[in-house]
Amino acid sequence: MNASETRHKDRAGVLELVTAVHLAVFLAATTWALGGNGLWLRPALAAWGSLGAIITLAALFFGRPAGTAGNRAYLGLWPLLLFNLLVLVSLLTPGFREVRSGGETMLIPRELSAVVPAAAIPGEARQALWMFDAIYLSCFNLVLVARHRRTLRGLLLFAVANAFVLAVFGTLQKFSYAEGPFFGLVKTRQPLFFSSFLYHNHWGPFVILMTTVCVGLAWHFGRQGRGRNFFHTPAFAGLVAVFFLAATVPLSGSRSCTLLLALILMGFFVQWLFRAVAKRRRRGAPIAGPVAGALAAIAIACAAIGFLASETIALRIALTEQQLAAIRAQGGLGDRSTLYRDTWRMALDKPWFGWGMASYPHVFMLYNTQQPDSRDRLPRFYSSAHNDWLQALAEHGFVGAALLALCALVPLRGLRRADLAHTTPFCLMTGCAAVLLYALIEFPFGNVAVVLTWWLCFFCAAAYAFLLQSGCHGSADDAGGPHNAPDGAVSG
């Protein structure tokens, strides 16, 4: 290796480390800063995240030799560039006119063409685009600079550890009956907060992502620990973390996420069970004992979770019964069906480019047909559609929503299904897919921390799969190409 190659390798190693540290700090700061949903904190978080753009440029000039796959990965940024162009053009056409009256600012809607990109409030659209770009580029850098799978696992281990501390913090708050995050120091009108998150249905998808990460890591380290007592391997600690993280979802009061996470963990267990049974049959070893032990452990874990969250579960069951009774009385899905119908009408009025980024709270007031609450006769205000898919169509139109989808699909081009099916990428992608599914009935992507965690998991999975495909490694535990890597294949 000549001096030039040595210098290049050193620079690439530094960039890899800087990228991982930058993302780790970004994630920790965002999750602890009220999940990124404290409006006064967002500029600081976006500014830190914007350092990712500097790393992106540094990787272009110093990361890999010209013409390599690392530099060709930059072609995956074209959907992001087109999405930025669409939003920037929309800023030229404000959707509302601001009129000051009596010390207050009133928003007067303008007449807009259905085919001209517009932004309801250009300043808010700029802020939202800034945060999205900061998150996306910071996570995309993993595909550009990651050279070792152990670096990706180290970043994921930090993310799980951070989530575990948040879970402990939230549990202590819950059992001390705190009236707001940070033991009441932060005031909130939302009683169903958890840990540092202002809304329990944002904590839920965050835990779903972190739990699937934890399962993937436990599976990997479990295979690494063959020949050792399972209880003395990192895999056992990983399963303990899975149990504790999972317990906080019903404890937070998130019913839909509790059900979704239970289905995910059941799927992982069934997959493990089939593989374990097949493996023991090949060896001629008994099957009943290990299976019975695993089922007993799951039963004990479920009982413990039920005991810890019994009070919250009872309250949420009672609320569910009331809501089901109201739905039966009204017919259909009640208020939620009206909300979705009104949002769909909003989307159809500007189907190409939508009403603009971050426009939903302002524009939806023109489409809201919900009747005032019968108890206080106050009008109902919605800051989100409780369906991120519909809201994306309403804000960005079919063109903008397609570009957002391509931001995820295009960077995966060239990957083989077998590499994404290896344990770690498979578990990460499972979490990402579950949150996308959840976004059909809620708004997980209305939380900055969930958005950041989703893209971090997504690009960690992509980078890991690319390294498996190329056979890159950097330590003994990573040795081997994509088909004999220690992770094994989950399917295919």
Side-chain angles (χ1 to χ4, degrees), residues 108-126:
I108 309 298
R110 299 175 183 267
E111 290 290 334
L112 297 174
S113 169
V115 296
V116 174
I121 309 294
E124 293 185 12
R126 279 194 298 269

Side-chain angles (χ1 to χ4, degrees), residues 24-53:
V25 174
F26 197 8
L27 180 67
T30 304
T31 51
W32 285 94
L34 303 179
N37 276 25
L39 296 181
W40 67 95
L41 296 169
R42 285 192 182 181
L45 295 173
W48 175 261
S50 297
L51 296 177

Side-chain angles (χ1 to χ4, degrees), residues 203-215 241-252 254-269 298 302 305 427 430-432 434-435 437-438 441:
W203 172 258
F206 172 73
V207 170
I208 286 174
L209 290 166
M210 288 293 94
T211 302
T212 54
V213 169
C214 204
V215 170
V242 167
F243 159 75
F244 196 81
L245 287 172
T248 63
V249 180
L251 190 62
S252 72
S254 180
R255 295 165 292 177
S256 49
C257 285
T258 298
L259 178 60
L260 184 56
L261 184 57
L263 291 174
I264 292 170
L265 292 178
M266 187 183 302
F268 283 146
F269 173 74
I298 290 175
C302 290
I305 290 173
C427 290
T430 298
C432 292
V435 173
L437 181 65
Y438 182 62
I441 60 170

Side-chain angles (χ1 to χ4, degrees), residues 96 107 120-121 124 346 355-368 380-385 391 394-395:
F96 287 84
L107 299 177
I121 309 294
E124 293 185 12
M346 174 182 165
W355 292 89
M357 200 167 193
S359 64
Y360 189 86
H362 310 291
V363 177
F364 184 70
M365 292 187 294
L366 307 175
Y367 292 86
N368 187 7
R380 300 186 184 185
F381 172 76
Y382 289 93
S383 60
S384 69
Q391 186 165 333
E395 291 191 340

Side-chain angles (χ1 to χ4, degrees), residues 416-436:
R416 296 176 303 198
R417 178 177 173 273
D419 295 316
L420 280 174
H422 276 72
T423 303
T424 303
F426 175 81
C427 290
L428 296 178
M429 286 298 189
T430 298
C432 292
V435 173
L436 282 177

Side-chain angles (χ1 to χ4, degrees), residues 251 305-315:
L251 190 62
I305 290 173
F307 175 76
L308 288 172
S310 58
E311 183 178 343
T312 302
I313 291 173
L315 291 173

Side-chain angles (χ1 to χ4, degrees), residues 160 187 486:
V160 168
K187 302 301 179 183

Side-chain angles (χ1 to χ4, degrees), residues 220-237:
H220 167 80
F221 287 113
R223 292 178 62 86
Q224 288 292 304
R226 281 179 292 190
R228 297 168 56 192
N229 187 314
F230 172 76
F231 296 101
H232 294 89
T233 66
F236 176 68

